[in-house]
Amino acid sequence: MRRFFSGIQAYAPAFRLLFSARFAWFLFFPLAAVLLLFVLGMWVTGSIGGTIHGLFADHLAAWLAGISWLEWLNGAAAWFVWIVVRVAFFFFFSMFGGYLLLIVLSPVYSWLSERAEMHLSGRTYPFSFRRFVRDIFRGLGIALRNFVLQAGVSILLFFFSFVPFVGWLSPFLMLLVSAYFYGFSFLDYAIERRRLNVRDSVRYVNCHAAEATGVGSVFVLALTIPFLNLFVCSFLSLAAVIAGAVVVHRNDCRPG
């Protein structure tokens, strides 16, 4: 528990650094990502809703023909589909939408983590375009790996939720699993500069699982905020990346 709260406490220096004059301009990137994901999300959900309604609209209209007092059902069905599709979208994003941010903002996260560690440790990292591109693809690969694993574990926990008594723990365990995998992704932007492969990175995070879960838990709780989760998490993710760099830097400085 001490290590878990240490991961949460890493947000204190992370926020101070993020809102300092040297780093505050990074806040413009989440704003652009929010606008992009909002427009794409509304377009996709609108297209899906229109397609679903179109599949049975003609059949419903033919069935209601001549029954004037039931013709309002056609319009009501369109509204019902519109609501269901958007509710499903918000539910999906509350569970896995953070990975959309990790994918869209991956180049920014890699750059931000490097700048944060340079500030924390005084260590310099000469810019290399090849290394920068490699780190971006590594971050994308880690995000996709964690997404698949989190989705698989979440599905198993969903089925366990139907088991009496044991099922009561499923929502709590799903939050912890999400926190661990998101924390893994945030720490890995700093871990990658140690030139560890994916297997060694997994071993490193498993050795510091409590701290990774602490870092990820703040982000996961923000994902549960209705309607504002996309906006809040896009900015909070920057602090989470810096918090991940703070945790890795502390572990480097810790004796043994």
Side-chain angles (χ1 to χ4, degrees):
M1 293 302 295
R2 183 175 59 84
R3 291 291 181 91
F4 174 80
F5 286 110
S6 176
I8 295 177
Q9 290 167 358
Y11 278 89
F15 277 117
R16 287 196 297 268
L17 195 59
L18 179 60
F19 288 101
S20 65
R22 295 178 58 185
F23 287 83
W25 60 274
F26 274 98
L27 295 170
F28 288 103
F29 292 105
L31 182 60
V34 166
L35 293 176
L36 174 64
L37 292 177
F38 178 78
V39 171
L40 287 177
M42 294 302 292
W43 176 76
V44 170
T45 54
S47 300
I48 292 175
T51 301
I52 294 175
H53 180 252
L55 291 175
F56 61 86
D58 293 338
H59 298 288
L60 185 62
W63 179 64
L64 296 175
I67 310 177
S68 57
W69 61 278
L70 283 179
E71 290 179 353
W72 62 272
L73 282 177
N74 202 353
W79 276 104
F80 177 76
V81 171
W82 187 90
I83 293 172
V84 169
V85 170
R86 277 158 178 77
V87 168
F89 170 75
F90 283 116
F91 174 78
F92 176 83
F93 191 83
S94 68
M95 291 298 298
F96 305 108
Y99 287 109
L100 293 177
L101 292 173
L102 293 180
I103 292 172
V104 172
L105 292 176
S106 182
V108 177
Y109 293 151
S110 182
W111 187 17
L112 174 61
S113 179
E114 182 176 301
R115 291 285 302 274
E117 188 172 349
M118 289 171 62
H119 176 84
L120 292 168
S121 66
R123 190 180 302 151
T124 59
Y125 295 93
F127 179 78
S128 169
F129 182 76
R130 177 180 296 180
R131 179 176 60 82
F132 181 67
V133 172
R134 184 175 64 245
D135 290 345
I136 290 174
F137 280 101
R138 174 193 165 90
L140 291 173
I142 291 291
L144 291 174
R145 170 194 177 274
N146 290 345
F147 169 77
V148 172
L149 290 177
Q150 181 186 335
V153 175
S154 297
I155 290 172
L156 288 176
L157 290 175
F158 173 76
F159 286 113
F160 272 112
S161 66
F162 295 100
V163 179
F165 302 109
V166 178
W168 295 346
L169 296 175
S170 290
F172 176 72
L173 292 176
M174 290 176 73
L175 287 176
L176 280 181
V177 168
S178 298
Y180 168 79
F181 282 114
Y182 277 121
F184 187 143
S185 297
F186 292 131
L187 263 67
D188 190 68
Y189 289 103
I191 295 172
E192 66 187 8
R193 285 186 293 279
R194 276 65 182 169
R195 305 272 67 94
L196 300 180
N197 57 36
V198 174
R199 178 178 297 179
D200 290 335
S201 296
V202 172
R203 187 179 297 112
Y204 180 97
V205 174
N206 286 339
C207 289
H208 302 89
E211 289 168 297
T213 305
V215 172
S217 63
V218 178
F219 185 77
V220 168
L221 289 177
L223 278 174
T224 64
I225 300 175
F227 306 109
L228 295 178
N229 51 6
L230 174 61
F231 181 79
V232 173
C233 289
S234 61
F235 291 96
L236 185 60
S237 62
L238 297 180
V241 170
I242 299 177
V246 170
V247 168
V248 174
H249 174 65
R250 286 176 179 174
N251 290 330
D252 287 347
C253 297
R254 184 177 291 123

